[in-house]
Amino acid sequence: MDVFGESFVLTHTDLGRFCVERVTKGSVRVRSTFLPDKPGSIVYTERQDYVVDYVKGTLARTPGSRIPDFSTNTLYGQKDFDHTKFPGFTNHPWFVWVDYKASTKTPWARRNGQSRALSAVKKKLQTGGAFKIVSYGDSITAGGEASEDALRFQWRWAASLGKKFPKAAITIEDLSLSGYTSRQGIDWFDKKPEALRPVTTLGTCDKPDLVLVGFGMNDHNRGSAEPEVFKNNLVTLAKLIQERKGASVVLFSAFPPNDDWHYGTHRMAQFAAATKQAASEAGCAYADVFSTWEWVLKRKDQPSLLGNNINHPNDFGHWLYAQAFEAMAF
């Protein structure tokens, strides 16, 4: 199995773990940018900048490494941190991106049968012609921390669909509300705040075939909705889309934010379960991002996947989202 651009932040000479064990000897390539052709990208040298344990699946800086030491990050070692007290927080300067071959063929995301909910989508894609995907959610759906549009999860999934259904002319429009909750997603279905105008609203969007709905990260924060209320909000949103836009809907879960962040409630498993239940009640599809992330976190540390070290996936994290979408079998 070939893996492209798995992300790490590395501290001192401590071990960072690959998502999988037993990396193929000699296959590891480490660089400073997700895309290898990015201007200024640095290719690091094994044994000079890093060492690999190919059997245990670990990566570490050497004492004299050119790889940035994550211990110099402003949030490193902070517990129960309030990000507003750490201006300029980010993980991007500390990431390294790793290509390698793994002996395992374990899928990144569990197969997730969604044939009933996406039968109309499959028929349209097979028939071919224009097919419009609209995404609607919070800042993650809006592309938070992805380095370019093509690397956002919905664009990646659309590219995968294009290969499977070559007759379809797939386009994407994102109408997300960065920083907002599912309740606000309902409130601004037709009307967005003045600061976000002029933009198309989901209510006025022209003829989407499929709408991807992704809230939960902000609903999960302290002082926000309970999981049952969140579930009901998603059902309401899905039915609004189905009835008013005539489109199919995919509800997708979120991943747990940094455990050391002050404003998280550590209940994302409950919000993921609520998302799945909402999809069932509304008769729409469900993409299981949460369990995909949960599988990866069995070996990976959270900062290695978070662009802002809080709650935004980096380019590899967006790829993990896309894997959850690709796992929907229909």
Side-chain angles (χ1 to χ4, degrees), residues 1-9 17-19 27-36 41 59 95-101 108 147 151 156 296 300 304-306 313-320:
M1 178 176 70
D2 292 335
V3 180
F4 177 86
E6 182 178 326
S7 50
F8 289 77
V9 292
R17 296 199 294 179
F18 289 87
C19 289
S27 68
V28 171
R29 300 290 182 270
V30 182
R31 60 182 175 273
S32 63
T33 59
F34 180 77
L35 296 175
S41 183
L59 179 74
F95 286 129
V96 291
W97 311 88
V98 186
D99 302 339
Y100 61 95
K101 293 182 182 293
W108 295 88
S147 59
L151 298 178
R156 285 172 153 171
V296 170
K300 296 288 286 186
S304 285
L305 304 173
L306 299 175
N314 60 15
D315 286 334
F316 183 69
H318 274 270
W319 182 81
L320 292 175

Side-chain angles (χ1 to χ4, degrees), residues 12-276:
H12 305 308
T13 57
D14 300 343
L15 300 179
R17 296 199 294 179
F18 289 87
C19 289
V20 299
E21 293 180 346
R22 297 191 178 277
V23 175
T24 302
K25 189 171 179 61
S27 68
V28 171
R29 300 290 182 270
V30 182
R31 60 182 175 273
S32 63
T33 59
F34 180 77
L35 296 175
D37 58 354
K38 206 78 169 174
S41 183
I42 300 168
V43 177
Y44 297 107
T45 304
E46 188 170 0
R47 291 185 296 278
Q48 177 182 322
D49 294 304
Y50 62 90
V51 290
V52 182
D53 187 321
Y54 287 94
V55 175
K56 295 182 179 179
T58 63
L59 179 74
R61 297 172 72 252
T62 62
S65 178
R66 293 176 293 165
I67 293 172
D69 183 346
F70 188 62
S71 69
T72 62
N73 185 291
T74 186
L75 291 178
Y76 176 74
Q78 298 291 337
K79 302 297 182 184
D80 193 34
F81 66 83
D82 179 347
H83 65 284
T84 64
K85 297 178 180 178
F86 297 87
F89 59 89
T90 180
N91 283 0
H92 288 285
W94 286 269
F95 286 129
V96 291
W97 311 88
V98 186
D99 302 339
Y100 61 95
K101 293 182 182 293
S103 56
T104 179
K105 293 185 178 180
T106 302
W108 295 88
R110 301 171 188 158
R111 188 181 185 277
N112 176 17
Q114 297 294 322
S115 296
R116 180 176 297 180
L118 295 177
S119 58
V121 168
K122 183 175 182 179
K123 184 176 181 180
K124 287 180 182 179
L125 289 169
Q126 288 176 329
T127 300
F131 186 89
K132 184 175 183 178
I133 297 174
V134 170
S135 51
Y136 188 60
D138 52 30
S139 55
I140 296 170
T141 313
E145 309 298 329
S147 59
E148 56 185 73
D149 281 349
L151 298 178
R152 292 166 62 178
F153 70 86
Q154 57 269 65
W155 268 261
R156 285 172 153 171
W157 184 52
S160 175
L161 289 176
K163 292 177 181 177
K164 295 176 183 176
F165 303 98
K167 293 182 181 179
I170 301 171
T171 58
I172 301 174
E173 184 173 5
D174 181 58
L175 301 175
S176 294
L177 298 158
S178 294
Y180 292 5
T181 66
S182 58
R183 177 66 252 177
Q184 291 165 312
I186 296 169
D187 294 341
W188 291 312
F189 189 85
D190 292 308
K191 181 181 179 181
K192 289 192 176 183
E194 292 292 335
L196 298 179
R197 292 181 182 173
V199 288
T200 303
T201 67
L202 185 53
T204 61
C205 179
D206 185 40
K207 298 179 181 178
D209 295 290
L210 178 64
V211 180
L212 316 179
V213 178
F215 289 97
M217 188 59 75
N218 299 313
D219 295 82
H220 165 270
N221 294 348
R222 293 186 182 187
S224 296
E226 288 298 308
E228 180 69 16
V229 174
F230 171 65
K231 182 206 74 174
N232 292 336
N233 289 345
L234 292 183
V235 171
T236 297
L237 263 175
K239 289 182 176 179
L240 274 171
I241 294 164
Q242 292 163 335
E243 294 168 5
R244 290 185 47 185
K245 309 308 298 181
S248 298
V249 177
V250 176
L251 300 180
F252 59 95
S253 52
F255 61 90
N258 193 322
D259 289 339
D260 292 322
W261 184 44
H262 176 73
Y263 294 102
T265 61
H266 311 289
R267 296 190 297 168
M268 191 58 82
Q270 296 177 41
F271 283 84
T275 306
K276 185 175 183 179

